[in-house]
Amino acid sequence: MNSSAPYKINWLNLEQVGYFESIGIGGLAGCKHRFIQRNLEEDLRVLKVNNIRHLLLLCDTVELDRFGLSISCFYEFELHHYPCEYGLFPSIEVMMDLIRKIFQIIEAGEKCLIMSRDGLGRSCVVGAVLVLHTNESSSYNEVYSLMKRSVDPRAIQTVKQYNFLVDFRQLRDEYTAICATQDIYDRHISR
């Protein structure tokens, strides 16, 4: 990827729940790292042309600095920062918060972009989890294959990321049960 290639947005297909081209997955706009030499102004222009207003950034500030960027580079957008270590994925608590945030954005009729260094790994895990969460009939293998076909064969980059997809629904259900129990406990204590 170099600065002459146009910025690529991989649109996540959530048509089955009424959202077409609302959630994009992409690399870090303006990233300068090894063979990646993106032009920040051109990349941000592409985001604006595609009516993307919200950026869900998964890189941490150390990574941004390494790539010649800072949080302030994205001042023209609503930035939602969810730092996550390269090669990993957000915890189930953070993932559920991300899902809530993404649905708040798209239910308001706006578009968002899930962004990590190269638009693979972390951002694809979030995208795959959104599909698993919204389409209970899809298996993790189907979603894994979908991400490989629609984004890149390297969409899910590590065994840990793949295992998270395998375990997501169970983790989500356990997390939801714990939150419900905590909510009941909190209401009982407040009386």
Side-chain angles (χ1 to χ4, degrees):
M1 184 186 310
N2 60 41
S3 57
S4 63
Y7 185 83
K8 183 177 179 190
I9 299 169
N10 294 298
W11 293 104
L12 193 57
N13 184 356
L14 292 180
E15 266 184 279
Q16 75 276 7
V17 290
Y19 299 106
F20 180 73
E21 290 194 357
S22 296
I23 304 165
I25 297 174
L28 187 58
C31 182
K32 296 188 181 332
H33 180 70
R34 290 201 211 139
F35 303 110
I36 302 171
Q37 295 295 312
R38 307 279 333 147
N39 180 296
L40 181 63
E41 290 78 24
E42 289 178 25
D43 291 351
L44 295 180
R45 187 184 56 72
V46 170
L47 299 181
K48 290 176 194 171
V49 165
N50 281 279
N51 296 316
I52 293 172
R53 197 168 144 234
H54 296 266
L55 303 178
L56 288 98
L57 179 62
L58 301 176
C59 299
D60 63 28
T61 52
V62 172
E63 246 182 317
L64 288 173
D65 188 48
R66 188 174 342 129
F67 304 146
L69 298 167
S70 70
I71 298 266
S72 63
C73 293
F74 306 106
Y75 70 92
E76 298 175 77
F77 298 87
E78 291 282 332
L79 185 66
H80 310 276
H81 193 203
Y82 293 88
C84 176
E85 191 175 330
Y86 180 79
L88 295 178
F89 46 86
S91 68
I92 191 64
E93 296 84 5
V94 172
M95 188 66 78
M96 296 309 293
D97 188 45
L98 260 163
I99 290 171
R100 276 189 294 277
K101 177 55 70 182
I102 289 169
F103 276 99
Q104 284 174 355
I105 292 166
I106 63 177
E107 286 171 357
E110 297 183 343
K111 295 181 177 184
C112 66
L113 179 75
I114 305 165
M115 196 166 51
S116 62
R117 181 184 83 187
D118 50 12
L120 304 173
R122 297 168 280 189
S123 52
C124 288
V125 168
V126 173
V129 160
L130 279 165
V131 175
L132 287 169
H133 184 70
T134 57
N135 188 351
E136 291 292 327
S137 65
S138 292
S139 73
Y140 61 85
N141 272 329
E142 290 170 329
V143 173
Y144 175 68
S145 295
L146 170 74
M147 297 308 284
K148 286 172 59 174
R149 278 191 321 274
S150 62
V151 178
D152 188 275
R154 301 167 297 133
I156 306 300
Q157 296 183 313
T158 68
V159 172
K160 286 182 180 182
Q161 290 173 343
Y162 178 80
N163 288 341
F164 184 77
L165 291 184
V166 172
D167 297 336
F168 169 71
R169 287 189 176 128
Q170 178 183 348
L171 293 168
R172 176 198 61 192
D173 294 346
E174 290 170 0
Y175 175 75
T176 303
I178 290 168
C179 288
T181 303
Q182 184 64 41
D183 186 45
I184 291 167
Y185 176 76
D186 289 345
R187 279 188 276 156
H188 178 71
I189 296 296
S190 67
R191 290 183 185 160

